[in-house]
Amino acid sequence: IGAGYVGGPTMATIAYKCPQIQVVIVDMNEARINAWNSDHLPIYEPGLDDVVKACRGKNLHFSTDVKKGIEDADIIFASVNTPTKTQGQGKGRAADLRFIESVGRTIAQHATRSKIVIEKSTVPIKTAEAIARVLTANEVSNGAIGKRFWILSNPEFLAEGTAMKDLDQPDRVLIGGQQEAAIQVLVDIYAHWVPREKILTTNLWSSELSKLVANAMLAQRVSSINSISRLCEKTGADVKEVSRAIGADSRIGPKFLNASIGFGGSCFQKDILNLVYICQQFGLHEVAEYWQKVVDMNDNQKEAFTNRIIQTLFNTVTKKKIAIFGFAFKKDTGDVRETPALTVCQMLMDDGAICHIYDPKVAKEDAISEFKYHGVEVNDDQFIFSPSPEAATDGAHAIVILT
């Protein structure tokens, strides 16, 4: 359930690796399902096109018939969005679980026999407990004939841009659960292509927390090297040389040590803020403050970068054309969720700049939608999508490389 950035590639890979298994991806968004059934998939991910086309119509199907999908399935993956709450208790930090709760209620409503239900979405610790309460209330038991639900946690560890490679050759597959028999069913599916030693099994709570902590640790490295990049600017040191020097230490390693404008995407900030909220809920305020600083440093990096552009252009960008190369939050994707480009463009436009964006994988309407999600109204005269790099740079006062 859920035909987005996680559900689509993950289920397509399972279909590709396990031709004997029938995989049906259901979503109530008709436009998205139509796109999955077309030659123009709704998301861009290198290698995804080939896998979908190899399986679609054989053992991979896309449908809006959620009811039938639930009725027919033995195993159900819940792969819906869990954004940060924008209102109410925990606003700006806690995960909004209404979609995952809705999935639980929908499964309970339409399931006619026992199912294994798997959390694929990134969720706060103890979410499985909440889903279990919803489903357990609907369990029917009558001797040997009944309807039961077994809940597993199987978090995704995909990086956009390399998701298909991550699925094909994962560092690890994590499966959390309380019932060994249900865990073994999912282990056997992944074992079609993943070495058994890379399939880790834990309890539910460890699995749920591991996903949040993995993203928090990666984001922490980004903020750490970005903080050092600021010091390098003041001292004359080269952050690339510093990164290479410390990355050569086998205890540290070279990954996620490239200084940048800051991290973006749908996961890092959302998951850290979720972690902060959970720590606060358990009274761990010093722990919460520690992880909040990772997000604060990231925000500061984006603002400092933009201020430097303005200062370099004689402290004003009013009516100046600024070419923006890349609006997605990273290369090899069209995803604009929480992209650093949002902050940079907003600050430049607030100062009067005319931003000409070139990004062949991003649609202008998606960029505008992300601005609106953050409560920002965009002036079309200041935010222009260019058809080519040449058009974006023609007469520009500066070129800003953001992806």
Side-chain angles (χ1 to χ4, degrees):
I1 300 175
Y5 279 93
V6 174
T10 303
M11 297 302 106
T13 298
I14 289 177
Y16 187 72
K17 298 291 186 179
C18 309
Q20 77 282 11
I21 295 176
Q22 286 293 320
V23 177
V24 181
I25 301 177
V26 294
D27 197 301
M28 290 187 293
N29 187 326
E30 189 173 351
R32 180 179 293 171
I33 290 297
N34 288 342
W36 279 110
N37 283 318
S38 74
D39 290 332
H40 302 286
L41 303 186
I43 62 174
Y44 172 72
E45 194 66 48
L48 176 61
D49 226 44
D50 294 337
V51 170
V52 170
K53 286 176 180 175
C55 304
R56 193 171 56 196
K58 298 172 186 173
N59 69 323
L60 176 63
H61 313 277
F62 299 91
S63 172
T64 55
D65 193 342
V66 178
K67 178 177 180 291
K68 187 176 189 305
I70 292 170
E71 288 174 346
D72 292 348
D74 298 303
I75 301 171
I76 300 172
F77 285 83
S79 303
V80 294
N81 195 16
T82 51
T84 303
K85 286 182 74 173
T86 56
Q87 60 185 20
Q89 188 175 7
K91 173 185 175 182
R93 292 166 297 157
D96 186 344
L97 298 179
R98 58 183 160 156
F99 302 117
I100 198 83
E101 181 189 347
S102 175
V103 166
R105 295 189 185 282
T106 304
I107 292 170
Q109 179 184 354
H110 297 305
T112 54
R113 54 191 172 85
S114 300
K115 314 279 182 186
I116 295 175
V117 179
I118 300 167
E119 291 175 338
K120 198 67 185 170
S121 308
T122 302
V123 294
I125 189 168
K126 298 290 185 180
T127 300
E129 209 169 66
I131 296 174
R133 285 203 304 271
V134 172
L135 294 173
T136 302
N138 286 273
E139 283 184 357
V140 178
S141 186
N142 180 18
I145 302 169
K147 181 173 70 171
R148 293 190 59 80
F149 299 102
W150 297 275
I151 299 170
L152 303 178
S153 168
N154 177 218
E156 52 84 15
F157 295 101
L158 308 180
E160 287 189 43
T162 60
M164 300 309 290
K165 178 177 173 292
D166 298 337
L167 286 161
D168 186 48
Q169 301 171 21
D171 291 336
R172 79 297 203 191
V173 170
L174 183 60
I175 301 170
Q178 307 298 84
Q179 297 87 10
E180 283 299 324
I183 290 172
Q184 192 58 46
V185 170
L186 191 54
V187 167
D188 290 344
I189 290 174
Y190 280 111
H192 280 82
W193 77 96
V194 180
R196 183 60 185 85
E197 64 271 15
K198 289 191 173 185
I199 304 175
L200 313 180
T201 58
T202 68
N203 69 37
L204 268 173
W205 325 131
S206 297
S207 179
E208 288 180 333
L209 186 57
S210 294
K211 169 61 178 177
L212 294 182
V213 174
N215 278 345
M217 296 291 280
L218 293 172
Q220 180 196 48
R221 283 174 70 97
V222 175
S223 281
S224 294
I225 197 64
N226 282 344
S227 70
I228 299 303
S229 75
R230 304 278 291 284
L231 182 60
C232 288
E233 288 176 0
K234 298 293 185 183
T235 59
D238 185 331
V239 70
K240 287 184 178 178
E241 293 175 348
V242 173
S243 176
R244 188 176 68 194
I246 64 173
D249 187 325
S250 61
R251 296 168 301 173
I252 299 172
K255 293 185 177 180
F256 280 78
L257 288 181
N258 290 319
S260 65
I261 309 155
F263 56 77
S266 65
C267 293
F268 279 9
Q269 178 166 303
K270 170 176 73 76
D271 291 352
I272 295 176
L273 292 174
N274 196 352
L275 190 61
V276 168
Y277 182 71
I278 292 168
C279 291
Q280 289 172 334
Q281 293 298 99
F282 285 106
L284 302 171
H285 299 294
E286 294 83 3
V287 180
E289 288 171 12
Y290 174 83
W291 287 108
Q292 180 64 48
K293 289 296 181 185
V294 174
V295 177
D296 293 345
M297 182 66 230
N298 193 57
D299 291 339
N300 186 265
Q301 182 78 348
K302 292 180 281 189
E303 292 164 8
F305 177 79
T306 312
N307 286 330
R308 192 173 181 194
I309 295 170
I310 296 170
Q311 290 162 9
T312 304
L313 293 172
F314 308 102
N315 281 324
T316 180
V317 289
T318 301
K319 296 192 182 303
K320 291 180 179 176
K321 177 178 179 178
I322 309 294
I324 307 289
F325 279 4
F327 195 86
F329 84 92
K330 64 184 286 190
K331 70 176 184 177
D332 287 332
T333 182
D335 195 350
V336 299
R337 290 176 292 179
E338 302 297 340
T339 174
L342 197 81
T343 301
V344 175
C345 288
Q346 182 186 347
M347 288 181 66
L348 290 173
M349 290 188 292
D350 285 347
D351 203 71
I354 302 166
C355 295
H356 286 249
I357 291 84
Y358 174 69
D359 190 322
K361 296 300 178 186
V362 173
K364 182 177 181 179
E365 52 267 29
D366 291 339
I368 297 292
S369 293
E370 185 64 13
F371 274 114
K372 286 182 177 175
Y373 177 76
H374 288 273
V376 179
E377 286 296 325
V378 176
N379 182 345
D380 280 343
D381 294 333
Q382 285 184 275
F383 190 70
I384 298 163
F385 263 60
S386 298
S388 67
E390 293 80 8
T393 55
D394 185 27
H397 290 257
I399 300 172
V400 182
I401 301 171
L402 293 185
T403 300

